[in-house]
Amino acid sequence: MQDETNDAIDELHALLDPAAVIVSFTGAGISTESGVPDFRSPGSPWMIHRPIPFDAFVASREARVEAWRRKFAMDDHFAGAMPNRGHKALANLVAQGRSPGVITQNIDGLHQDSGIPEDRIIELHGNGTYATCLTCGWRHELAAIRPAFEASGEPPRCIICSGIVKSATISFGQAMPEAAMRRAHALTMRADLFLVAGSSLVVFPAATFPAIAKRNGAKLVIINREPTEPDAIADLVVRAEIGPALGRLAG
Ligand SMILES: [Zn+2]
């Protein structure tokens, strides 16, 4: 098995080395290696409570209080998570001009922390490291919101328009961000190699991007610990952790 994995990693680099436009698509698997829990895995703090749907968050003060209480408890859970060798490898590809950017399902901001410029990161599920006003879109920093929430017990309101403030993630029942989906599609169409790293590719419509890339003539490479549906159309599947698989590119 170890030899097989090493062979697959050699094959992976044989495909990556000549590729001119590498577009990466990342999911929870790249961040679990940094200690960020996968919200769908059994025993994760996300699975203890039923998720609060977007409609309930907007409609109910109690739901907002509960959502913010959970949000800050979860943040404490993986406070200090740092980018790992997988993140650094992808950041190097961007820095070297070999990758125009990364599409991610993650909300942890670790691609930004790894040094990839904000405009090269497309976040399909938003970002949990800050909050926005649902009415005017103003960005609110968690460091400012949290002490006020903990002191008053009141969910935060926008300082500009008094609108409802929510973590900048896409909640259950909330529409996918259209602009991000459009950018992700355009980026996918530029790829000559589409690299999936740590996504089980089950959340739609995001999971359709590998097939779009493949149909458009790109090579498709999937690095994931578990089998995924698009494995069947991939040029290479690597069953390994992302850090060890991509580590040679981490510098
Ligand atoms: Zn506002």
mmCIF file of all heavy atoms in Angstrom, residues 132-138 140 157-165, ligand 1:
data_model
loop_
_atom_site.group_PDB
_atom_site.id
_atom_site.type_symbol
_atom_site.label_atom_id
_atom_site.label_comp_id
_atom_site.label_asym_id
_atom_site.label_seq_id
_atom_site.Cartn_x
_atom_site.Cartn_y
_atom_site.Cartn_z
ATOM 1 N N THR A 132 -20.717 39.714 7.953
ATOM 2 C CA THR A 132 -21.218 40.796 7.104
ATOM 3 C C THR A 132 -22.663 41.128 7.486
ATOM 4 O O THR A 132 -23.376 40.303 8.051
ATOM 5 C CB THR A 132 -21.204 40.421 5.604
ATOM 6 O OG1 THR A 132 -21.787 39.134 5.442
ATOM 7 C CG2 THR A 132 -19.807 40.419 5.021
ATOM 8 N N CYS A 133 -23.055 42.355 7.142
ATOM 9 C CA CYS A 133 -24.442 42.781 7.338
ATOM 10 C C CYS A 133 -25.272 42.215 6.192
ATOM 11 O O CYS A 133 -24.915 42.366 5.024
ATOM 12 C CB CYS A 133 -24.518 44.303 7.345
ATOM 13 S SG CYS A 133 -26.220 44.919 7.301
ATOM 14 N N LEU A 134 -26.378 41.570 6.542
ATOM 15 C CA LEU A 134 -27.219 40.958 5.508
ATOM 16 C C LEU A 134 -27.958 42.009 4.691
ATOM 17 O O LEU A 134 -28.445 41.728 3.606
ATOM 18 C CB LEU A 134 -28.237 40.003 6.148
ATOM 19 C CG LEU A 134 -27.656 38.739 6.797
ATOM 20 C CD1 LEU A 134 -28.771 37.927 7.449
ATOM 21 C CD2 LEU A 134 -26.896 37.894 5.783
ATOM 22 N N THR A 135 -28.051 43.244 5.213
ATOM 23 C CA THR A 135 -28.769 44.302 4.491
ATOM 24 C C THR A 135 -27.831 45.113 3.598
ATOM 25 O O THR A 135 -28.074 45.247 2.407
ATOM 26 C CB THR A 135 -29.483 45.240 5.489
ATOM 27 O OG1 THR A 135 -30.346 44.450 6.303
ATOM 28 C CG2 THR A 135 -30.297 46.297 4.757
ATOM 29 N N CYS A 136 -26.733 45.632 4.171
ATOM 30 C CA CYS A 136 -25.886 46.552 3.387
ATOM 31 C C CYS A 136 -24.548 45.935 2.989
ATOM 32 O O CYS A 136 -23.796 46.537 2.236
ATOM 33 C CB CYS A 136 -25.671 47.861 4.148
ATOM 34 S SG CYS A 136 -24.478 47.746 5.508
ATOM 35 N N GLY A 137 -24.238 44.754 3.515
ATOM 36 C CA GLY A 137 -23.006 44.082 3.107
ATOM 37 C C GLY A 137 -21.754 44.533 3.830
ATOM 38 O O GLY A 137 -20.660 44.048 3.543
ATOM 39 N N TRP A 138 -21.880 45.491 4.758
ATOM 40 C CA TRP A 138 -20.710 45.987 5.492
ATOM 41 C C TRP A 138 -19.997 44.838 6.199
ATOM 42 O O TRP A 138 -20.628 43.975 6.778
ATOM 43 C CB TRP A 138 -21.160 47.038 6.515
ATOM 44 C CG TRP A 138 -20.026 47.749 7.195
ATOM 45 C CD1 TRP A 138 -19.508 47.450 8.422
ATOM 46 C CD2 TRP A 138 -19.294 48.875 6.707
ATOM 47 N NE1 TRP A 138 -18.489 48.319 8.716
ATOM 48 C CE2 TRP A 138 -18.330 49.210 7.689
ATOM 49 C CE3 TRP A 138 -19.343 49.633 5.521
ATOM 50 C CZ2 TRP A 138 -17.435 50.266 7.513
ATOM 51 C CZ3 TRP A 138 -18.455 50.692 5.361
ATOM 52 C CH2 TRP A 138 -17.513 51.000 6.341
ATOM 53 N N HIS A 140 -17.916 43.193 9.128
ATOM 54 C CA HIS A 140 -17.737 43.358 10.576
ATOM 55 C C HIS A 140 -16.699 42.346 11.054
ATOM 56 O O HIS A 140 -16.765 41.172 10.688
ATOM 57 C CB HIS A 140 -19.058 43.120 11.313
ATOM 58 C CG HIS A 140 -20.123 44.133 10.996
ATOM 59 N ND1 HIS A 140 -20.462 45.146 11.849
ATOM 60 C CD2 HIS A 140 -20.906 44.289 9.906
ATOM 61 C CE1 HIS A 140 -21.416 45.885 11.308
ATOM 62 N NE2 HIS A 140 -21.709 45.387 10.119
ATOM 63 N N ARG A 157 -25.815 43.838 15.610
ATOM 64 C CA ARG A 157 -26.521 44.600 14.577
ATOM 65 C C ARG A 157 -25.495 45.471 13.848
ATOM 66 O O ARG A 157 -24.471 45.849 14.407
ATOM 67 C CB ARG A 157 -27.589 45.504 15.223
ATOM 68 C CG ARG A 157 -28.807 44.737 15.719
ATOM 69 C CD ARG A 157 -29.732 44.466 14.547
ATOM 70 N NE ARG A 157 -30.926 43.728 14.945
ATOM 71 C CZ ARG A 157 -31.939 43.475 14.111
ATOM 72 N NH1 ARG A 157 -31.884 43.908 12.856
ATOM 73 N NH2 ARG A 157 -32.967 42.797 14.507
ATOM 74 N N CYS A 158 -25.813 45.809 12.609
ATOM 75 C CA CYS A 158 -24.884 46.597 11.788
ATOM 76 C C CYS A 158 -24.729 48.013 12.332
ATOM 77 O O CYS A 158 -25.720 48.682 12.631
ATOM 78 C CB CYS A 158 -25.387 46.641 10.349
ATOM 79 S SG CYS A 158 -24.314 47.574 9.242
ATOM 80 N N ILE A 159 -23.479 48.476 12.433
ATOM 81 C CA ILE A 159 -23.239 49.839 12.920
ATOM 82 C C ILE A 159 -23.606 50.878 11.858
ATOM 83 O O ILE A 159 -23.767 52.047 12.160
ATOM 84 C CB ILE A 159 -21.761 50.045 13.330
ATOM 85 C CG1 ILE A 159 -20.819 49.596 12.209
ATOM 86 C CG2 ILE A 159 -21.440 49.312 14.629
ATOM 87 C CD1 ILE A 159 -19.389 50.056 12.373
ATOM 88 N N ILE A 160 -23.755 50.445 10.615
ATOM 89 C CA ILE A 160 -24.089 51.387 9.541
ATOM 90 C C ILE A 160 -25.609 51.502 9.387
ATOM 91 O O ILE A 160 -26.159 52.598 9.323
ATOM 92 C CB ILE A 160 -23.493 50.916 8.186
ATOM 93 C CG1 ILE A 160 -21.997 50.706 8.292
ATOM 94 C CG2 ILE A 160 -23.853 51.898 7.053
ATOM 95 C CD1 ILE A 160 -21.177 51.943 8.534
ATOM 96 N N CYS A 161 -26.291 50.341 9.310
ATOM 97 C CA CYS A 161 -27.717 50.381 8.940
ATOM 98 C C CYS A 161 -28.617 49.623 9.918
ATOM 99 O O CYS A 161 -29.809 49.487 9.660
ATOM 100 C CB CYS A 161 -27.893 49.813 7.527
ATOM 101 S SG CYS A 161 -27.800 48.003 7.468
ATOM 102 N N SER A 162 -28.062 49.104 11.017
ATOM 103 C CA SER A 162 -28.826 48.327 12.009
ATOM 104 C C SER A 162 -29.338 46.992 11.480
ATOM 105 O O SER A 162 -30.170 46.349 12.115
ATOM 106 C CB SER A 162 -30.020 49.122 12.574
ATOM 107 O OG SER A 162 -29.580 50.327 13.122
ATOM 108 N N GLY A 163 -28.860 46.575 10.303
ATOM 109 C CA GLY A 163 -29.275 45.284 9.746
ATOM 110 C C GLY A 163 -28.727 44.119 10.563
ATOM 111 O O GLY A 163 -27.906 44.298 11.469
ATOM 112 N N ILE A 164 -29.206 42.918 10.230
ATOM 113 C CA ILE A 164 -28.752 41.701 10.903
ATOM 114 C C ILE A 164 -27.345 41.352 10.425
ATOM 115 O O ILE A 164 -27.071 41.357 9.221
ATOM 116 C CB ILE A 164 -29.729 40.545 10.614
ATOM 117 C CG1 ILE A 164 -31.066 40.802 11.324
ATOM 118 C CG2 ILE A 164 -29.142 39.198 11.025
ATOM 119 C CD1 ILE A 164 -32.159 39.809 10.958
ATOM 120 N N VAL A 165 -26.459 41.058 11.384
ATOM 121 C CA VAL A 165 -25.079 40.687 11.060
ATOM 122 C C VAL A 165 -24.933 39.179 11.213
ATOM 123 O O VAL A 165 -25.396 38.595 12.184
ATOM 124 C CB VAL A 165 -24.090 41.431 11.985
ATOM 125 C CG1 VAL A 165 -22.668 40.917 11.784
ATOM 126 C CG2 VAL A 165 -24.154 42.933 11.723
HETATM 127 ZN ZN ZN B 1 -25.659 47.179 7.335
#
